Amino acid sequence: MSTIITFAGKTPRVLASFVAPGCFVIGDVVLKPGSSVWFGSIIRGDTAPCEIGEGTAVLEHCYVENAIVGDNTMLSHGAIAHKCTIGSRVLVGIGARIINGAEIGDDCLIGAGALITPGTKIPPGSVVIDKGRIVRSVTEQDVSYIRLSIEEVQQKATEIERALMSAKRSGE
């Protein structure tokens, strides 16, 4: 079971299609329709609002605090979004960290393990690795990969939600 916590008089608005068991959603948070939050993730809006866009997936063990994340974006396993802004149609790789005032434009690919440092602004359509190093612009192949990856996760969220509901009905 996920845990939805009112904090400082703010209760999360959960319009998401799927919030997995073991997640914590705390304070001034909006999970927009079609978004999904996967097992073990924490989303906090305790000192500023936090918003997860439509169709956006926050995969297992992510930490999102006081961040704004656009539509149809994917935060891969273990990613951290701390007091930052991430655009729409962005794929944030496994274990990437985007922190303190960093801004990621739309249609970006942030590599696994990347560190986007405080105040860094990544322009739309960038491929980023390492410590915020832009290596090139996204290609049509990258854009297609991002779109297909997000669609696949959205479909999987629907399937897992059904499986969880079925298990609950059968008493498993």
Side-chain angles (χ1 to χ4, degrees):
M1 174 153 261
S2 57
T3 304
I4 309 300
I5 300 171
T6 298
F7 180 79
K10 302 281 186 173
T11 300
R13 291 186 305 156
V14 179
L15 308 169
S17 61
F18 174 62
V19 180
C23 294
F24 290 85
V25 182
I26 304 161
D28 192 2
V29 173
V30 177
L31 303 178
K32 290 190 172 181
S35 62
S36 58
V37 183
W38 293 67
F39 304 91
S41 291
I42 299 170
I43 301 180
R44 285 179 35 198
D46 52 3
T47 60
C50 187
E51 183 176 293
I52 305 299
E54 289 187 27
T56 289
V58 179
L59 296 184
E60 289 88 353
H61 303 286
C62 286
Y63 179 78
V64 182
E65 179 183 337
N66 306 328
I68 305 298
V69 182
D71 297 335
N72 296 306
T73 286
M74 182 163 60
L75 302 182
S76 296
H77 315 279
I80 296 172
H82 186 266
K83 299 179 180 180
C84 63
T85 303
I86 300 171
S88 294
R89 299 169 309 279
V90 174
L91 194 152
V92 177
I94 294 170
R97 295 145 300 161
I98 303 167
I99 59 175
N100 299 358
E103 296 178 14
I104 308 297
D106 294 340
D107 303 302
C108 286
L109 181 56
I110 308 299
L115 172 62
I116 311 302
T117 56
T120 300
K121 294 182 181 3
I122 303 296
S126 299
V127 176
V128 182
I129 63 170
D130 302 327
K131 192 174 179 184
R133 185 164 57 98
I134 298 171
V135 293
R136 62 179 171 81
S137 295
V138 294
T139 63
E140 280 303 314
Q141 186 176 358
D142 295 325
V143 171
S144 179
Y145 173 73
I146 293 167
R147 188 186 80 253
L148 291 173
S149 295
I150 291 167
E151 288 173 359
E152 181 180 297
V153 168
Q154 290 168 339
Q155 179 61 37
K156 194 177 289 184
T158 300
E159 293 168 10
I160 291 175
E161 178 70 13
R162 273 192 227 125
L164 287 168
M165 292 172 82
S166 177
K168 190 182 284 187
R169 280 194 301 275
S170 66
E172 293 178 13

